[in-house]
Amino acid sequence: QRAEAVEADDLVELVDQLRPGDSFSVTAFDDTVDVLVPAVRIRSDADRSRLRAAIAPLATGGGTNIFDGLSAGYAQARK
């Protein structure tokens, strides 16, 4: 069974549920790794708006460099 990719719409729904004080980051990966949203603490609706704009262009890609993707994601979670 193959897991489905998280799409931008799913992340926007998640961003809309974030509360002040929550932390959020997005690391995208296919054959390369890109930290789309470095770790940020939510303080206001303006933060949520910036997050929505940052994740809007997210799309599925080609390969799966999961090791580097997870490593970058874990690094953001530690911040």
Side-chain angles (χ1 to χ4, degrees):
Q1 180 179 347
R2 183 181 160 137
E4 290 185 30
V6 174
E7 296 189 16
D9 291 344
D10 299 324
L11 289 176
V12 168
E13 188 174 323
L14 176 64
V15 166
D16 289 342
Q17 296 176 31
L18 295 173
R19 299 176 305 223
D22 286 344
S23 294
F24 187 79
S25 175
V26 176
T27 301
F29 62 93
D30 49 20
D31 55 337
T32 62
V33 175
D34 185 21
V35 177
L36 296 178
V37 178
V40 61
R41 190 164 306 275
I42 304 303
R43 291 184 170 76
S44 67
D45 287 336
D47 292 331
R48 281 188 277 287
S49 293
R50 283 191 292 277
L51 291 174
R52 284 187 213 98
I55 62 179
L58 185 64
T60 57
T64 304
N65 184 356
I66 194 156
F67 179 79
D68 289 342
L70 287 172
S71 295
Y74 287 142
Q76 291 300 309
R78 286 191 295 267
K79 291 184 178 184

